[in-house]
Amino acid sequence: MKKTKGKNKMELLKQKLKTKKYQYLYLWHKICEKSENINWYQDCCGNEMKKESERISFYFDWLNKINKKYNYD
């Protein structure tokens, strides 16, 4: 009985780590899309979106720190 309990815990841990990886990749993708949209808007309309650009940079830095710690990429 103890072996199956430990085995179930390992499977749950693996699934949790896999879920976290997909959440990381999803956020990375969404931030890339947002960054492209902001860049397009700045290029086409000529309006500077400094606050939004800083926010995107913050999120990229944050995700890079997470990737260094957990090696999701």
Side-chain angles (χ1 to χ4, degrees):
M1 176 126 182
K2 287 185 178 182
K3 285 184 179 181
T4 58
K5 201 173 195 181
K7 191 175 184 180
N8 287 340
K9 284 184 180 180
M10 282 300 290
E11 288 178 15
L12 288 174
L13 181 62
K14 286 180 183 178
Q15 185 159 359
K16 184 177 180 181
L17 291 173
K18 193 175 187 180
T19 301
K20 296 257 184 213
K21 179 180 179 177
Y22 287 121
Q23 288 173 340
Y24 166 84
L25 293 173
Y26 175 79
L27 284 174
W28 184 267
H29 177 73
K30 285 297 187 183
I31 293 172
C32 285
E33 283 181 348
K34 185 71 172 173
S35 177
E36 289 174 6
N37 290 341
I38 289 172
N39 288 338
W40 175 85
Y41 188 78
Q42 287 177 340
D43 291 343
C44 290
C45 299
N47 292 340
E48 188 175 338
M49 301 177 74
K50 187 176 181 179
K51 191 172 185 177
E52 287 82 2
S53 296
E54 288 174 357
R55 184 179 298 129
I56 294 295
S57 294
F58 170 80
Y59 284 130
F60 275 131
D61 292 341
W62 177 67
L63 285 174
N64 282 330
K65 288 177 187 176
I66 291 172
N67 187 43
K68 284 181 183 178
K69 185 174 182 178
Y70 297 106
N71 198 21
Y72 285 141
D73 267 345

